Amino acid sequence: MSIGVLAVLGGTAFSQQPQAIVLKAARLFDGRQMRTPGIVVVAGSRIAGVGANATVPAGARTIEFGDATLSPGFIDAHTHLSFMYTADYRQGILDSVQKTIPEQTLLATDNLKKTLMAGVTTVRDLASDSFMDVGLRNAAAAGVIPGPRMLVSVHAIGSTGGHCDFQNGFRPGLFGRESGPEDGVVNNPEEGRRAVRYNIKYGADVIKLCVTGGVLSLTDEVDIPQLTQDEINAIVDEAHTLRKKTAAHAHGAEGAKRAIRAGIDSIEHGAFLDDEAIDLMKARGTFYIPTLMAAEGGREILAKGGYPPPVAAKMTAAIESISQVVRKAVAKGVKIGMGTDAAVYPHGRNTEEFHLLTALGMSPLDALRAATSVDAELLGMQGQIGALETGRLADIIVMPGDPLLNIRQTEKVFFVMKDGVIYRDDRAFTPGSSR
Ligand SMILES: [Zn+2]
């Protein structure tokens, strides 16, 4: 995080530069291909030109990055920015019930800042509590706090006792009443529709379902289906009717297949998918978001003994299984997007997902596409973000060197612009670039 950012910005709200800006680097990744030279013209919040033939307005300010790569801001299709990371599972539960919602929300602003500074300019935030995600989204959009553009889901929708029932693992009556559709807990198709409508009424941009058990919930088995085919059909149908995309938390193959058959837009995690589920995603054009950083974060917490025994056992099994699933999905040409499950690992390390994907057979170019043009399509925002193209929103990041030669250059992003506003500019600390 640059100390210079606040000095550059001056006031309390973040705003665009008055004059046009020309960003120049040795190369640019346009969302599909690597090109030379790297020239992007920004006017206000939009990209006004790309490449050597772009028209430069009189009085434009030029920023030279030298041997560096311009890229569309990265999109992380799976975050939980309102949840704090902790390596101590039990302490995390205590914090979530002891700290007030205003305190939790204010603490979470740091998660937004770290995410944006890492080069992630848009996130799809998949489940929150007490509408913290809606508040954080709106505050970042208003320029009051630095943060990525957020598409939020309010409550994830699942079944009683399932992965997304927040009362899972606690004694009956502790919360005063059983969780219901207003908490995202449903037990028939009509309750599913009601939960979708409730979420959207109070600010959801996207609908998240929990169609199988999960790793971090205390009492359920990780790979069992947790919603019926009829329930999933109703939830997905209602969301699509209201023009919202859908994402399914799914580890087990049976639950994932039900979601894919229902027309789900993306499958998240997928640690125990079988060949039939992978083939079904390929045939239906379903996106797959492996969230390999969740496994990485899990590995680190396991090493510190941070999980209670049932969670540790599930995490170990998921880590052992996920690599072969992702290798197969890459080999079969499934549409794989970039998402990380931020909060399961420390916020701000999102771009470590790239090297985990390439280690399982994805090319560096496809990894970059996953976090730009592919995720933009998944979010239904193609035409606005995910590409360096005239007319798109000016979400532009810069990393040193060439990420096709070393994908871990993505972890060294030193310049971040969102909506034409410069949030990070650390050229002074980057060898090989000039001021
Ligand atoms: Zn998640």
Side-chain angles (χ1 to χ4, degrees), residues 17 24 68 118 139 158 165 169 228 288 291 316 328 360 363 378 398:
Q17 313 286 308
K24 284 190 177 175
D165 180 352
T228 66
Y288 176 35
T291 67
T316 303
K328 280 183 195 169
L360 296 176
S363 72
L378 168 62
V398 187

Side-chain angles (χ1 to χ4, degrees), residues 78 80 126 208 269 341:
H78 193 134
H80 300 280
L126 294 181
K208 157 97 175 277
H269 316 306
D341 217 0

Side-chain angles (χ1 to χ4, degrees), residues 78 268-271 288-300 315 318-319 321-327 330 336-341 344-345 349-350 352-362:
H78 193 134
E268 312 293 309
H269 316 306
Y288 176 35
I289 312 295
T291 67
L292 295 169
M293 276 304 286
E296 180 62 27
R299 233 175 250 121
E300 294 169 11
M315 182 61 86
I319 289 170
S321 180
I322 184 113
S323 296
Q324 50 94 19
V325 172
V326 177
R327 275 188 193 283
V330 169
I336 297 179
M338 189 277 216
T340 65
D341 217 0
V344 179
Y345 66 90
R349 286 173 52 191
N350 314 60
E352 291 178 40
E353 184 78 15
F354 290 109
H355 86 91
L356 298 174
L357 286 167
T358 59
L360 296 176
M362 187 180 278

